[in-house]
Amino acid sequence: SKLNFRQVSIAKAGIICTLNARTAILASANPKESRYNPQLSVIENLKLPPTLLSRFDLIYLILDKPDRESDRRLARHLVGLFYQVPVNPPSPIPQDF
């Protein structure tokens, strides 16, 4: 692949050309089984081929240490941003029942 050399080849509709590639790629991935295992390598945790990972110049790990109370507060905050309880919620039983 010429992407490592900042070029990309394109062959479409009988036109073949090589263009300069001026872009950055930001990608993210979750670990297999949804938990990062510090006993395994990055490649084993992400279950991505080494040939794909080798194309990235930098790899950062952002690890979340599970904390039930902190996770609960964060979840309540995020849900609260999009959900509002009505001032006078409608009764589930009709008044003329």
Side-chain angles (χ1 to χ4, degrees), residues 4-75:
N4 292 336
F5 301 108
R6 292 184 166 81
Q7 292 181 334
V8 62
S9 296
I10 298 175
K12 292 282 183 189
I15 299 172
I16 301 171
C17 63
T18 301
L19 303 171
N20 290 330
R22 294 183 186 107
T23 187
I25 298 174
L26 175 65
S28 65
N30 286 324
K32 66 179 183 177
E33 300 175 16
S34 298
R35 294 262 186 209
Y36 189 84
N37 183 346
Q39 305 300 321
L40 301 176
S41 70
V42 173
I43 294 170
E44 293 169 320
N45 267 291
L46 298 181
K47 205 169 184 181
L48 291 173
T51 53
L52 178 60
L53 284 175
S54 70
R55 294 174 181 255
F56 292 93
D57 294 326
L58 300 171
I59 297 176
Y60 288 97
L61 296 179
I62 300 174
L63 302 177
D64 175 39
K65 299 193 180 188
D67 177 2
R68 185 177 296 262
E69 186 56 36
S70 175
D71 292 345
R72 187 178 316 262
R73 279 195 318 267
L74 178 59

Side-chain angles (χ1 to χ4, degrees), residues 75-85:
R76 283 187 182 147
H77 172 72
L78 292 173
V79 170
L81 293 173
F82 301 100
Y83 179 76
Q84 294 180 358
V85 178

